[in-house]
């Protein structure tokens, strides 16, 4: 049997391991670092790293990242820790719905604010054609609620179409 080509053969999917702070501290090739995660949120969404100051980042499984507010020993063999946060398997990293709903209000870039009707369709899981002059890819999708922008989840915007990434179990008909 051949080894995986991405260098993650040592990654143990039965336990959480804290992300290394920098690439120089990385022990498993290809594993994301805290530095890279913070840079991603800042560059893509304009969320300052200070927002995550009290959070540690963990990997369980192949490139599934979790955020935990606090400190514990690493590695740790438990089922769940904090919130699912980021998928780093592909070239374009994908934030989770949980992460966007928790931290998306701090975003200053790549936030698509929908009308009431478009937001209703989005949370129901519908794809829709939308004009937007911003960047393509994974966006934070929001709606103005009670005078404030409220993040709804993640949308994939490609070629004039917004594809809802709301998980099937969390979709709602409103």
């Amino acid at each position: 049997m051949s080894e995986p080509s991405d260098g993650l053969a040592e990654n143990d999917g039965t336990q959480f391991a804290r992300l290394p702070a920098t690439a120089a501290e990385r022990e498993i090739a290809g594993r994301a670092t805290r530095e890279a995660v913070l840079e991603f949120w800042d560059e893509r969404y304009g969320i300052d790293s200070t927002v995550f100051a009290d959070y540690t980042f963990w990997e369980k499984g192949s490139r599934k990242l979790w955020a935990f507010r606090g400190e514990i020993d690493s590695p740790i063999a438990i089922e769940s820790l904090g919130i699912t946060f980021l998928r780093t398997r592909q070239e374009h990293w994908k934030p989770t719905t949980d992460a966007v709903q928790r931290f998306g209000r701090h975003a200053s870039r790549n936030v698509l604010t929908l009308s009431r009707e478009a937001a209703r369709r989005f949370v129901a899981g519908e794809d829709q054609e939308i004009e937007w002059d911003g960047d393509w890819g994974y966006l934070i999708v929001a709606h103005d609620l009670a005078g404030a922008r409220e993040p709804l989840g993640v949308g994939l915007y490609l070629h004039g179409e917004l594809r809802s990434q709301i998980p099937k179990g969390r979709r709602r008909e409103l």
Side-chain angles (χ1 to χ4, degrees):
M1 191 161 119
S2 65
E3 293 293 315
S5 62
D6 63 4
L8 294 178
E10 299 175 49
N11 191 24
D12 185 346
T14 66
Q15 63 186 8
F16 282 91
R18 184 190 301 238
L19 293 188
T22 65
E25 297 174 21
R26 182 183 297 147
E27 294 178 5
I28 297 176
R31 176 168 278 165
T33 64
R34 179 178 181 81
E35 181 179 62
V37 167
L38 296 176
E39 185 176 285
F40 166 78
W41 285 96
D42 182 37
E43 288 182 5
R44 180 72 185 156
Y45 301 107
I47 300 177
D48 190 86
S49 63
T50 58
V51 170
F52 305 108
D54 294 334
Y55 290 85
T56 53
F57 302 119
W58 301 78
E59 182 175 41
K60 182 180 181 186
S62 181
R63 301 188 182 188
K64 295 176 187 171
L65 305 188
W66 299 63
F68 174 71
R69 188 174 184 141
E71 298 281 338
I72 57 173
D73 292 334
S74 174
I76 186 166
I78 57 176
E79 284 300 311
S80 180
L81 178 70
I83 64 169
T84 56
F85 187 67
L86 190 62
R87 306 278 189 257
T88 62
R89 278 187 211 160
Q90 300 167 354
E91 178 184 351
H92 301 287
W93 290 6
K94 179 182 181 283
T96 65
T97 298
D98 289 331
V100 164
Q101 288 178 345
R102 172 64 184 89
F103 301 106
R105 63 189 39 88
H106 299 285
S108 61
R109 283 193 292 279
N110 293 313
V111 179
L112 176 57
T113 303
L114 299 178
S115 68
R116 182 181 182 102
E117 176 58 23
R120 183 197 63 73
R121 292 180 62 199
F122 180 80
V123 298
E126 295 179 30
D127 298 340
Q128 49 194 313
E129 290 192 19
I130 292 187
E131 291 293 322
W132 192 58
D133 62 356
D135 202 1
W136 60 273
Y138 293 113
L139 307 177
I140 294 173
V141 178
H143 174 64
D144 287 331
L145 185 63
R149 185 180 72 194
E150 188 62 33
L152 301 173
V154 179
L156 178 59
Y157 188 81
L158 296 170
H159 309 292
E161 181 182 52
L162 177 64
R163 299 176 187 169
S164 176
Q165 303 293 293
I166 299 289
K168 288 180 182 173
R170 294 178 65 181
R171 294 178 181 171
R172 299 291 179 262
E173 298 289 332
L174 303 175

